[in-house]
Amino acid sequence: MRRGARGRGWAKVMITCDVLVVGGGPAGSSCAWKLRNTGLDVLVLDRKTFPRDKTCAGWITPAVIDELTIDLDDYRLGRVLEPLTGFGTGMVGGAEVVTRYDKPISYGIRRCEFDDYLLQRSGARLQLGEALKSMERDNGGWVVNGHIKTPLVVGAGGHFCPVARRLDGRPSGGEWAVAAQEIEFEMSDRQLQECPVPAGIPFLYFCDDLEGYGWYYRKGNYLNVGLGREDDRNLSAHVSAFCALLQERGRIPRDLPARFLGHAYLLYPHAQRKIVDDGVLLIGDAAGLAYPQSGEGIRPAVESGLLAAEVVRGAKREYRRANLEVYAKRLAGRFGKKYTRTTSERVPLKLKQFLARRLLVWPWFARHVVLDRWFLRRQEGSIRLPE
């Protein structure tokens, strides 16, 4: 820090970097990690200090482990890593079917641990505990918060990312977003005895109107319970009714911690955000990349961060929009075409409900469609990018 002109207090020293990543979650840390050994000086800015709490059901698929070359033996040292060998599926208040696999098909993690692990191993410089408050053009580059100069800003700050607001002007208004509430806490010995939740088997229950689903599952001694909906009207009432039903059935403790945490995200096919411009691009939830059927955002976040890093590398420090547009094309190639809500509502609701009540408890459909295709994306191989 240095004293300002004429003794008017203290001014921050100017920081320079080649790439500023705004947001230290899986998207931002994956992008920074992929840019290591490129000769680019990468700085990650985040308003939180790490480790920090993050609302998320929290499981990662083998594709994420493969794409980030995570050493599971190293990761599990002092961290929760719960092998998932099955899923329960059904509709809220209805029957359910449990699908089991002969090997782990995902791993339960705690986001406070996982995000910190990825960020610390990224190799980037960190500017934590500082929110992005201003972002101004300066000689073809950017000055952020009045003291960070960079030619390229990567927005990785989630659904309400301030870079998305600066780029698009409407990141939180007029969008078809999913709203969710959930809680994660360590159960006491009494709670474990009262509600013997099977470890390694998340349970997923679709809402009767098919506007979302609720879940509960145990990872280690931690229990995660939540519900998300595309229609966020009366969300708290839906969450309360879902928890009451689970408590009636003896699935979760009756003395849940009082406060559920909320978050929002966009489903990729419906997201209409501008994601690329001169000297700026968006990744992860900032770009609206969650999978449409499951709402999962970790794998799309990781893959978008890796794809963005490859495009940045190929741009060779020339970050005009024309050089960054290939990123948007690669996202479309990876995640498919987008469509509006109108085109997705051609099947009448009553028919969808009739089919859902029967299909969700049909073992073949639960395994091969709901789980393998929608939630685990087993049909999609890991992305392969050059080192």
Side-chain angles (χ1 to χ4, degrees), residues 80-82 108 186-187 192 197 199-200 218-223:
V80 171
L81 186 70
E82 183 69 57
E186 186 171 16
M187 291 186 287
L192 287 167
V197 179
R218 173 184 163 189
K219 35 192 166 181
N221 289 335
Y222 289 87
L223 183 67

Side-chain angles (χ1 to χ4, degrees), residues 211-331:
E211 290 286 347
Y213 68 92
W215 67 88
Y216 75 92
Y217 88 107
R218 173 184 163 189
K219 35 192 166 181
N221 289 335
Y222 289 87
L223 183 67
N224 189 288
V225 184
L227 185 143
R229 290 176 55 82
E230 293 177 78
D231 177 3
D232 64 357
R233 291 173 295 180
N234 301 316
L235 177 60
S236 294
H238 284 282
V239 173
S240 296
F242 177 61
C243 289
L245 177 64
L246 294 179
Q247 288 168 333
E248 261 182 47
R249 294 185 172 184
R251 302 296 182 89
I252 64 174
R254 291 193 174 276
D255 55 340
L256 291 177
R259 184 168 175 262
F260 277 65
L261 300 177
H263 64 119
Y265 53 88
L266 295 174
L267 301 177
Y268 170 75
H270 318 135
Q272 301 300 317
R273 292 184 175 184
K274 181 179 180 182
I275 60 173
V276 171
D277 207 344
D278 290 332
V280 61
L281 55 79
L282 303 179
I283 59 180
D285 280 345
L289 298 181
Y291 288 133
Q293 297 91 351
S294 66
E296 191 221 335
I298 295 179
R299 181 175 176 182
V302 166
E303 292 186 348
S304 67
L306 299 179
L307 290 171
E310 191 61 22
V311 170
V312 170
R313 187 199 307 243
K316 298 180 179 179
R317 301 176 187 261
E318 294 291 334
Y319 303 127
R320 297 185 303 275
R321 178 176 179 175
N323 291 340
L324 300 178
E325 280 287 357
V326 65
Y327 166 68
K329 294 178 181 177
R330 291 184 182 178
L331 281 185

Side-chain angles (χ1 to χ4, degrees), residues 3-66:
R3 186 171 290 278
R6 298 184 182 179
R8 294 177 183 172
W10 296 88
K12 291 183 176 180
V13 173
M14 186 65 71
I15 299 171
T16 62
C17 61
D18 296 319
V19 180
L20 177 66
V21 178
V22 179
S29 58
S30 296
C31 183
W33 175 77
K34 191 63 179 178
L35 286 173
R36 74 201 190 290
N37 304 325
T38 61
L40 295 174
D41 177 20
V42 181
L43 177 68
V44 177
L45 176 77
D46 197 291
R47 65 188 181 91
K48 298 284 189 177
T49 56
F50 282 61
R52 51 89 170 98
D53 289 332
K54 174 64 178 179
T55 307
C56 180
W59 67 69
I60 54 174
T61 58
V64 169
I65 295 165
D66 182 36

Side-chain angles (χ1 to χ4, degrees), residues 96-345:
E96 64 189 40
V97 61
V98 176
T99 304
R100 298 185 183 275
Y101 295 82
D102 58 5
K103 62 181 180 180
I105 35 79
S106 282
Y107 293 87
I109 50 91
R110 301 194 68 218
R111 285 291 301 276
C112 58
E113 298 171 348
F114 182 70
D115 291 14
D116 185 54
Y117 172 84
L118 293 185
L119 185 59
Q120 297 304 325
R121 76 158 200 165
S122 70
R125 288 194 291 147
L126 306 180
Q127 184 81 5
L128 304 181
E130 179 179 350
L132 187 149
K133 296 180 179 179
S134 65
M135 182 175 162
E136 305 296 335
R137 270 310 219 174
D138 179 64
N139 294 323
W142 299 98
V143 174
V144 172
N145 289 356
H147 73 105
I148 303 174
K149 292 193 67 173
T150 182
L152 177 65
V153 175
V154 177
H159 179 64
F160 298 103
C161 180
V163 182
R165 185 177 300 111
R166 173 64 172 77
L167 181 62
D168 196 52
R170 55 174 182 83
S172 59
E175 293 179 317
W176 182 18
V178 172
Q181 291 182 0
E182 60 190 278
I183 198 165
E184 182 171 292
F185 64 99
E186 186 171 16
M187 291 186 287
S188 66
D189 290 340
R190 180 190 56 76
Q191 288 173 325
L192 287 167
Q193 292 174 0
E194 176 187 340
C195 298
V197 179
I201 303 180
F203 284 78
L204 313 171
Y205 300 97
F206 290 84
C207 298
D208 185 63
D209 60 4
L210 302 178
E211 290 286 347
Y213 68 92
W215 67 88
Y216 75 92
Y217 88 107
R218 173 184 163 189
K219 35 192 166 181
N221 289 335
Y222 289 87
L223 183 67
N224 189 288
V225 184
L227 185 143
R229 290 176 55 82
E230 293 177 78
D231 177 3
D232 64 357
R233 291 173 295 180
N234 301 316
L235 177 60
S236 294
H238 284 282
V239 173
S240 296
F242 177 61
C243 289
L245 177 64
L246 294 179
Q247 288 168 333
E248 261 182 47
R249 294 185 172 184
R251 302 296 182 89
I252 64 174
R254 291 193 174 276
D255 55 340
L256 291 177
R259 184 168 175 262
F260 277 65
L261 300 177
H263 64 119
Y265 53 88
L266 295 174
L267 301 177
Y268 170 75
H270 318 135
Q272 301 300 317
R273 292 184 175 184
K274 181 179 180 182
I275 60 173
V276 171
D277 207 344
D278 290 332
V280 61
L281 55 79
L282 303 179
I283 59 180
D285 280 345
L289 298 181
Y291 288 133
Q293 297 91 351
S294 66
E296 191 221 335
I298 295 179
R299 181 175 176 182
V302 166
E303 292 186 348
S304 67
L306 299 179
L307 290 171
E310 191 61 22
V311 170
V312 170
R313 187 199 307 243
K316 298 180 179 179
R317 301 176 187 261
E318 294 291 334
Y319 303 127
R320 297 185 303 275
R321 178 176 179 175
N323 291 340
L324 300 178
E325 280 287 357
V326 65
Y327 166 68
K329 294 178 181 177
R330 291 184 182 178
L331 281 185
R334 181 61 176 171
F335 298 110
K337 294 181 179 180
K338 294 187 176 183
Y339 54 84
T340 65
R341 181 164 187 160
T342 300
T343 60
S344 68
E345 291 182 334

